[in-house]
Amino acid sequence: VPQLYLHMLCLGEACSSALFLSCSATKGANLFRLRRDTQLQGLVLKFVARFADRHGAGQPPPPPDHFWGCREYASLLEGLSRASREAVELVAHIPHAEIQRGPEAPLFL
């Protein structure tokens, strides 16, 4: 979910949703849409900026559970969890038989 919000940010304010395709080796593919939540997107950006400022190039690595004690971090996690449940819709399922794969290609390397 956070990655899709960053993609929407790159596309500008007119972008109201993002699509994500998840493909299984044996179960087909699912196409999902995530609707934009500007408030949650802002919170994601706040934490990305804070992390980059404290631990970006030339800075020390973060300690374990870096943001765990931060009250806003709990809000971020709750918002991302809510978005995963409520703002994501299944747009299409593509059955395994309709996915083109290489001839006799192994499913796993």
Side-chain angles (χ1 to χ4, degrees):
V1 171
Q3 185 68 42
L4 291 177
Y5 280 130
L6 295 175
H7 286 294
M8 284 186 250
L9 179 70
C10 292
L11 291 169
E13 291 183 18
C15 179
S16 61
S17 67
L19 296 173
F20 173 76
L21 183 70
S22 175
C23 188
S24 164
T26 60
K27 306 269 189 227
N30 289 314
L31 180 64
F32 299 97
R33 176 185 312 276
L34 173 67
R35 302 264 176 222
R36 184 181 203 138
D37 177 333
T38 305
Q39 184 176 357
L40 182 55
Q41 185 180 39
L43 198 52
V44 168
L45 287 174
K46 187 176 190 175
F47 276 91
V48 167
R50 189 179 297 169
F51 186 87
D53 183 53
R54 294 178 185 173
H55 305 289
Q59 300 295 323
D65 300 324
H66 178 58
F67 289 124
W68 194 248
C70 178
R71 192 171 62 223
E72 279 185 308
Y73 187 62
S75 296
L76 173 66
L77 295 178
E78 289 169 15
L80 293 173
S81 178
R82 184 184 65 252
S84 296
R85 289 188 316 273
E86 299 172 7
V88 176
E89 69 174 290
L90 176 63
V91 175
H93 173 74
I94 303 151
H96 176 69
E98 294 180 23
I99 296 176
Q100 183 178 358
R101 302 197 188 264
E104 299 180 28
L107 292 177
F108 303 98
L109 299 177

